[in-house]
Amino acid sequence: MKMLTCSQLSNFLAGFSDKIVKQFMLLLLFGSVSFCAHAENQGMQKTITNSQGTSLKWLPASALPSFITEVKRPTWINNAADWYQKKSVQGDLQIHGFIGQSYIVTSHNDVFGNSDKGGSFGLTEAGLNASFRPLPKLLVSAQVLSRRAGEGNSGMPRLDFAFLDYRLYSHEANQFGIRAGRLKNPFGFYNDTRDVPFTRPSILLPQSIYFDRTRNLALSGDSVQMYGDFSHPKWGTFSTQLGFLFPIVNDRDTRTSILEGLGGNLTREVSYIGRGIYETNDKRIRLAVSGIWLNANYVPTATEQLSSGALQFSPIYFSAQYNAERWSLTSEYAIRHFAFSGFNNQKLDGTNFYGESYYVQGEYRFTPKWEGFVRYDALFTDRSDKSGKQWASENNKTGQEHSRYAKDITVGLRWNVTPEFMLRAEYHHVIGTGWLSGLDNPDRTQTNKVWDLFAIQGSYRF
Amino acid sequence: MNPHSFSYFVRITFIYYCLSTYRFFAYRTLLTFFLLTASQAFAVNHYEVVINKSVGESNISANSLRSVFSMHLKTWPDGTKIRVFVLADDDPLHQIFSKEKLNVFPYQLRSTWDRLVFSGTGQAPIKVNSIEEMFEKIISTPGAIGYLWRANINENVNVLTIK
């Protein structure tokens, strides 16, 4: 009797799972994201325990009589589903994701929420991505990202990337291909994956290079890129990505930080991006040069006495890294050209300066589970006026010189509890407020020049 | 027995004892050395890169192998999909394999894969939880590549020689 119940239950479960699998498969076939490959593969092997403690095996659909699994459906859908079932192999569809929660306390000034008054849990990052290889040379991938960080990011999920990648040429270790869609902007070592706690060295990336306040502008864009990997058995690998893009400019934090005091809107223009990375074969030495030529137009409001002007932001980044078994040394340098033109306003049109940023960072892996790092990070909004004095006197902002630079010394510790779960803590001592978000600190006169930041973070991924 | 001969006897026995102990130590040291070198020679060659029987390749260059495990090279020369299987980052076989065959540290592979997965520009290798599972997957997955201890290799998989 007990046996009978079990087998009936197992049939029901298997039939049920198969139904779900088929439905998901159809979803996928019609252009949506699905979890079927995983559901299917795991479903086959998963052993569950029912209330009597007997274990049941989930059966593959093929092991069941057809009247249980067959659902009336047009033949072509069934054919498509069967075709997919035959073709799909584990790993062709992959689903990955992550979530991270941080707690931040600052001595003065606010970072991601009211961190000054007793700390805040203001930084939450989560992402879910799927990638699928329908053909050997074609890869389709997409990621949805949610980021809750102070006033600038509400946590509203946004499409981070979604594109097609087609491999045009592949011979031994040399590859060449094209990507089109919404793509991550390839610059520096970390921009492509800056929202994934596991892939970055610290809770806050070096803010001089990876500004969080203009992050959405820098993060990804609607783009077409060519890429190539050229590998030599002795000398190493040279990888390059080149493309044009329409940047994402309709974002509050970007507008506030670029258009201080202006009320109009930004529209996007064709922009260009490129990066070349050289790696030795043992990946000990990594060198990169990246550059962006970012264009946007400003559309003034009716009341503003301005013409629609053009903004041009063209940073160049130099990156270098050395990796040993226990330690890594990383440094990046950026020179950022910023120019406004065509506003028909003397002061705005005169905006033409070079910013400068760099950091040096040492990481040490005590054990595979415990890692530590030390970093010095410096930002100068205008390299010809590093102290900000000239800017303050010209703009009548005496006392706010420190908003034009930031020097940050950071130490941190990371504990990889399991490969999927990580905890870490870091301490920053900062002189200057150059990278503070204007949205989180609306009154600049209330910010302090010398301040400290302590943060802890827990993160999970799969 | 006079006291002298007794003392000689004791001395000789003692010398013999010493010799035997010395010999024991000497042999043991020799044996240890032998075992060490033997195990080292064994360590270099006691695992192989294995592929599914459907793959029509018998050798691969070290450079291409690195490219496969870095998830950049995605197709076999005949155009079919390469499917990469790996053990956990801290698995001894994975560590030996990455250091000896690929000449990179496991943490570097991990960060390469993470960069691909979270920028969407590539996929991660498929992680298996045991040698047995690795074997099963290599047998059952078309285009599969992985690594196995020699002891676990039989005629159901093909071994790939590195040029």
Side-chain angles (χ1 to χ4, degrees):
Chain A
M1 183 62 207
K2 197 176 165 187
M3 290 279 287
L4 187 68
T5 329
C6 288
S7 80
Q8 273 171 351
L9 184 60
S10 94
N11 281 349
F12 168 73
L13 282 172
F16 184 64
S17 76
D18 181 60
K19 205 166 142 191
I20 292 179
V21 166
K22 279 198 173 169
Q23 277 169 0
F24 266 119
M25 237 181 292
L26 290 171
L27 259 178
L28 178 99
L29 285 167
F30 291 113
S32 304
V33 170
S34 103
F35 294 82
C36 69
H38 274 224
E40 183 187 20
N41 284 286
Q42 285 168 6
M44 282 185 193
Q45 292 147 8
K46 200 180 281 174
T47 307
I48 57 155
T49 308
N50 70 3
S51 54
Q52 288 129 5
T54 329
S55 68
L56 300 173
K57 274 233 152 86
W58 287 52
L59 292 171
S62 53
L64 294 166
S66 61
F67 62 85
I68 296 172
T69 55
E70 277 311 308
V71 186
K72 275 214 164 170
R73 239 189 244 123
T75 348
W76 64 274
I77 295 183
N78 269 340
N79 287 347
D82 287 348
W83 173 83
Y84 180 73
Q85 205 162 23
K86 262 184 235 147
K87 288 276 173 184
S88 94
V89 176
Q90 184 192 12
D92 286 358
L93 174 81
Q94 293 192 354
I95 311 276
H96 294 277
F98 62 91
I99 184 153
Q101 176 62 55
S102 308
Y103 176 76
I104 298 174
V105 199
T106 48
S107 63
H108 305 94
N109 311 332
D110 281 334
V111 174
F112 304 145
N114 209 349
S115 58
D116 185 15
K117 312 254 165 16
S120 90
F121 283 99
L123 176 63
T124 314
E125 297 151 296
L128 185 68
N129 79 51
S131 61
F132 179 55
R133 209 148 61 116
L135 298 169
K137 291 185 171 181
L138 182 66
L139 178 73
V140 186
S141 42
Q143 177 162 282
V144 173
L145 195 74
S146 157
R147 180 181 156 96
R148 194 179 61 89
E151 291 288 314
N153 299 85
S154 63
M156 189 70 176
R158 60 191 281 271
L159 186 65
D160 190 31
F161 61 74
F163 61 90
L164 297 175
D165 175 332
Y166 192 75
R167 189 61 60 87
L168 296 166
Y169 170 84
S170 175
H171 180 70
E172 301 215 324
N174 301 315
Q175 328 289 337
F176 180 72
I178 186 166
R179 297 182 181 124
R182 176 164 293 184
L183 277 152
K184 302 295 276 191
N185 288 339
F187 73 80
F189 281 147
Y190 298 110
N191 194 59
D192 317 28
T193 57
R194 66 192 281 172
D195 289 305
V196 191
F198 276 89
T199 65
R200 47 183 207 236
S202 48
I203 300 172
L204 298 181
L205 272 175
Q207 294 291 307
S208 70
I209 306 259
Y210 304 97
F211 285 142
D212 273 328
R213 60 180 208 199
T214 54
R215 64 191 318 285
N216 290 349
L217 179 70
L219 200 57
S220 53
D222 299 326
S223 164
V224 175
Q225 281 175 15
M226 310 295 281
Y227 68 91
D229 296 337
F230 310 97
S231 183
H232 186 276
K234 247 194 194 146
W235 299 110
T237 305
F238 179 72
S239 328
T240 178
Q241 280 162 273
L242 285 169
F244 61 85
L245 75 147
F246 287 99
I248 297 163
V249 290
N250 55 356
D251 148 86
R252 256 177 82 208
D253 216 355
T254 308
R255 272 192 353 229
T256 330
S257 55
I258 296 181
L259 309 168
E260 275 174 86
L262 298 177
N265 270 315
L266 287 172
T267 58
R268 54 200 198 161
E269 293 292 312
V270 179
S271 306
Y272 307 90
I273 191 160
R275 176 175 66 186
I277 300 184
Y278 165 77
E279 279 181 356
T280 54
N281 280 331
D282 54 10
K283 296 184 202 284
R284 276 181 183 257
I285 299 173
R286 300 178 69 220
L287 302 170
V289 180
S290 17
I292 312 176
W293 184 275
L294 201 136
N295 298 304
N297 271 350
Y298 176 72
V299 184
T301 56
T303 51
E304 281 175 330
Q305 300 289 314
L306 293 169
S307 332
S308 57
L311 285 88
Q312 202 183 78
F313 177 49
S314 42
I316 297 176
Y317 304 84
F318 299 92
S319 320
Q321 187 170 59
Y322 185 83
N323 292 303
E325 184 157 23
R326 283 296 180 90
W327 55 273
S328 298
L329 195 63
T330 313
S331 182
E332 296 194 276
Y333 173 89
I335 184 150
R336 294 169 283 113
H337 184 210
F338 209 103
F340 282 15
S341 61
F343 281 85
N344 217 357
N345 171 302
Q346 208 184 352
K347 195 184 146 230
L348 282 173
D349 288 338
T351 306
N352 187 346
F353 58 85
Y354 288 87
E356 190 176 52
S357 337
Y358 57 87
Y359 72 88
V360 183
Q361 168 184 286
E363 288 163 271
Y364 192 81
R365 289 169 279 276
F366 301 98
T367 70
K369 282 195 183 292
W370 287 92
E371 297 167 36
F373 79 93
V374 185
R375 180 170 67 213
Y376 176 72
D377 177 40
L379 162 77
F380 303 101
T381 308
D382 183 351
R383 72 195 290 245
S384 61
D385 177 28
K386 288 190 174 174
S387 63
K389 279 186 184 136
Q390 195 191 334
W391 172 84
S393 64
E394 278 172 13
N395 292 280
N396 206 10
K397 291 198 172 165
T398 317
Q400 291 178 52
E401 291 89 350
H402 56 75
S403 72
R404 303 291 282 178
Y405 61 86
K407 298 169 211 167
D408 179 353
I409 295 169
T410 312
V411 288
L413 198 61
R414 167 169 168 170
W415 177 27
N416 299 308
V417 187
T418 71
E420 291 80 31
F421 184 64
M422 171 259 287
L423 288 172
R424 65 181 164 195
E426 68 194 38
Y427 169 75
H428 298 246
H429 178 70
V430 196
I431 300 166
T433 57
W435 46 259
L436 269 191
S437 162
L439 288 177
D440 285 327
N441 301 274
D443 185 358
R444 281 275 164 183
T445 57
Q446 294 297 307
T447 55
N448 280 45
K449 177 182 164 185
V450 181
W451 55 293
D452 300 274
L453 183 151
F454 177 74
I456 51 174
Q457 180 180 54
S459 180
Y460 175 79
R461 70 153 166 207
F462 62 90
Chain B
M1 197 187 268
N2 65 35
H4 278 285
S5 71
F6 176 75
S7 84
Y8 274 121
F9 174 75
V10 168
R11 218 177 281 172
I12 288 166
T13 323
F14 180 70
I15 287 168
Y16 268 122
Y17 170 76
C18 284
L19 264 176
S20 71
T21 326
Y22 167 76
R23 230 181 264 151
F24 172 72
F25 273 113
Y27 282 136
R28 207 172 69 170
T29 323
L30 266 175
L31 189 72
T32 319
F33 269 117
F34 172 73
L35 280 178
L36 268 178
T37 35
S39 72
Q40 246 162 15
F42 184 62
V44 177
N45 262 322
H46 59 339
Y47 64 92
E48 298 286 352
V49 178
V50 290
I51 47 174
N52 181 271
K53 284 245 162 187
S54 70
V55 181
E57 298 294 305
S58 57
N59 54 48
I60 190 169
S61 69
N63 215 21
S64 297
L65 187 72
R66 196 179 300 113
S67 191
V68 166
F69 278 89
S70 307
M71 304 303 285
H72 284 115
L73 177 51
K74 300 199 274 195
T75 49
W76 293 107
D78 68 358
T80 54
K81 285 179 196 177
I82 298 179
R83 295 188 173 94
V84 183
F85 291 89
V86 292
L87 288 159
D89 290 5
D90 59 352
D91 185 278
L93 178 54
H94 178 74
Q95 293 188 333
I96 298 173
F97 169 77
S98 9
K99 284 186 204 169
E100 290 181 356
K101 300 286 189 221
L102 306 179
N103 197 19
V104 294
F105 302 116
Y107 82 87
Q108 293 171 304
L109 282 177
R110 174 58 57 198
S111 48
T112 305
W113 301 334
D114 283 348
R115 276 196 293 272
L116 292 174
V117 165
F118 292 107
S119 66
T121 54
Q123 292 189 314
I126 303 147
K127 194 191 140 198
V128 292
N129 296 314
S130 64
I131 295 281
E132 292 72 30
E133 196 186 342
M134 175 71 90
F135 183 73
E136 291 296 316
K137 295 288 184 195
I138 300 291
I139 288 181
S140 60
T141 317
I145 183 168
Y147 40 74
L148 283 174
W149 297 112
R150 274 249 175 96
N152 302 95
I153 296 175
N154 64 21
E155 70 287 350
N156 291 323
V157 296
N158 281 354
V159 169
L160 203 56
T161 14
I162 296 157
K163 276 190 275 193

